[in-house]
Amino acid sequence: MNSNRTIAIVGASLAGLRTLEALRKQGFTERIIMVGEELHMPYTRPPLSKKLLNTGGELTEVLLKTAESEHDTEWRLGRRAVACDLETRTLTLDDASTIEFDGLVAATGVRSRRLPGDGGSSRMVLRTIDDSVALSERLVAGTRLVIAGAGFIGCEVAAAAIARGCSVTIVALDAAPMLMPLGAMLGQELQRRHEAAGVTFYLRHGIDGMSTSASGSTLVKLDDGTVLEADIVVEAIGSIPNVDWLSDNDLDLRDGVLCDEYLRMVRGSGSVRGALAVGDVARFPNALFGAPARRVEHWQIAGDTARAAATTLLHDLDEREADLAEFATLPTFWSDQKVVSIRAFGSPGLGDTATVLEGDITEQAAIGYHREGTLVGVVLLGLARRGGFYAAELTRGLSSTPTAAA
């Protein structure tokens, strides 16, 4: 066995850190290099749009604890991967330095999608700790906030801003908040709750442009001619996977990195041994659902894919003959929007029907999402103690009908 092998993990994210820890836990004692574009050590992102916007805070409150290991890791922070050659197994960084690797893990996540137009310093996104701190400092009573996008980030920012005395307007092309992941029935109920708290919605509307007024505020022009004046414009219109550095390798990068059932990168009709993707940037099939490969931007998925990818990578490096298990997991996510606490299990977005399983949707309820009669997702409004029950129900049902969501 070669005792001088190198694994490069690109992306000092939660998924990257969990991959590092899993590799060490599974017995890899050789060289690991962690490349991270930010100068910060890995931190967790969910509090950025929840706790930190509500109560303030700083990096120390979200830094991830790292598992102790007697084996050193090389950290290349403040460095960005700009190119990778999977044939020569060479990684190039933005300072022109190169890393020769035996194994590669892409954990580069996503970046915020941006709107075209002007708007100056009032335009903000929420993706990094620096974004969160900067936005929190500006959420003072009387501030006029326009949020582009009615997804989870947009609605969480709206809830925090309203609580801090801001005026909040959400603009979105969708007919209801969080329409794609949660459907129309629940989206309309969430809209009702946010409106009751003071949020104004302009739904089924796009933003045609932005400009800076004489007073320094931002003028947001909608597609029907309406003009909204804002002190801050938060762009929460989705994300773009960070895959540019992997171009020219004949990979499918249309929506993240396409992976096989073991999280290996897919090239042409085959898979690349020793090259994997994890977390938000990975587009993978999930054996529990039998559904086509897709990206899943959930906190829990970072850890699940990391552990599975570490197993696959060591299998490839050691040229093991034992069979690998196909990747399978039950996704979970949560959202705290003050007007409601949401906990979800499975993949509600795969459902073709939604029904109330228990409770009252205007208060506390469990909403079930079925696809061709199979329960594929459950969303809880409150009812925190029912999470274990519904997670077990989903796992049991999906395990017995693995192709129901295909």
Side-chain angles (χ1 to χ4, degrees), residues 35-235:
V35 178
E37 185 171 359
E38 294 185 66
L39 290 171
H40 310 302
M41 290 289 285
Y43 57 89
T44 185
R45 296 185 189 275
L48 303 186
S49 59
K50 300 177 178 70
K51 180 181 182 298
L52 267 63
L53 285 191
N54 289 310
T55 62
E58 54 189 21
L59 178 63
T60 55
E61 297 185 44
V62 294
L63 278 174
L64 291 163
K65 294 181 179 180
T66 57
E68 293 184 3
S69 173
E70 60 183 302
H71 307 289
D72 292 337
T73 298
E74 293 183 35
W75 292 86
R76 305 280 185 92
L77 299 178
R79 295 270 68 91
R80 178 171 55 87
V82 296
C84 178
D85 189 326
L86 292 177
E87 291 295 330
T88 63
R89 301 263 156 164
T90 304
L91 181 69
T92 303
L93 306 186
D94 59 355
D95 62 352
S97 64
T98 59
I99 297 170
E100 294 183 359
F101 60 83
D102 299 278
L104 175 73
V105 179
T108 41
V110 298
R111 62 186 182 275
S112 298
R113 191 179 299 277
R114 303 303 299 263
L115 291 165
D118 193 11
S121 61
S122 70
R123 295 178 58 179
M124 308 186 77
V125 294
L126 183 54
R127 179 64 193 168
T128 69
I129 179 64
D130 296 330
D131 295 335
S132 183
V133 170
L135 179 57
S136 180
E137 290 175 348
R138 298 183 65 174
L139 294 184
V140 297
T143 298
R144 297 165 299 177
L145 200 69
V146 170
I147 300 172
F152 285 104
I153 296 297
C155 289
E156 287 174 358
V157 171
I162 283 288
R164 296 176 68 170
C166 300
S167 169
V168 179
T169 300
I170 292 179
V171 180
L173 290 169
D174 293 328
M178 292 158 280
L179 182 64
M180 289 188 65
L182 302 182
M185 178 178 70
L186 184 49
Q188 290 165 4
E189 169 58 20
L190 297 176
Q191 178 181 345
R192 182 191 69 79
R193 297 190 187 201
H194 280 287
E195 287 178 335
V199 177
T200 299
F201 285 88
Y202 281 86
L203 298 174
R204 297 188 178 92
H205 285 291
I207 293 176
D208 269 1
M210 289 181 283
S211 60
T212 304
S213 71
S215 63
S217 63
T218 297
L219 303 178
V220 181
K221 184 180 180 182
L222 307 190
D223 53 11
D224 65 351
T226 300
V227 176
L228 306 174
E229 190 168 5
D231 302 304
I232 302 173
V233 177
V234 177
E235 299 171 48

Side-chain angles (χ1 to χ4, degrees), residues 8 27 47 52 106 108 142 195 205 209 251 292 298 307 335 363 396-397 399:
L52 267 63
T108 41
E195 287 178 335
H205 285 291
L251 300 171
H298 298 341
R307 287 184 288 273
S335 179
E363 296 178 358
R396 182 162 46 249
S399 297

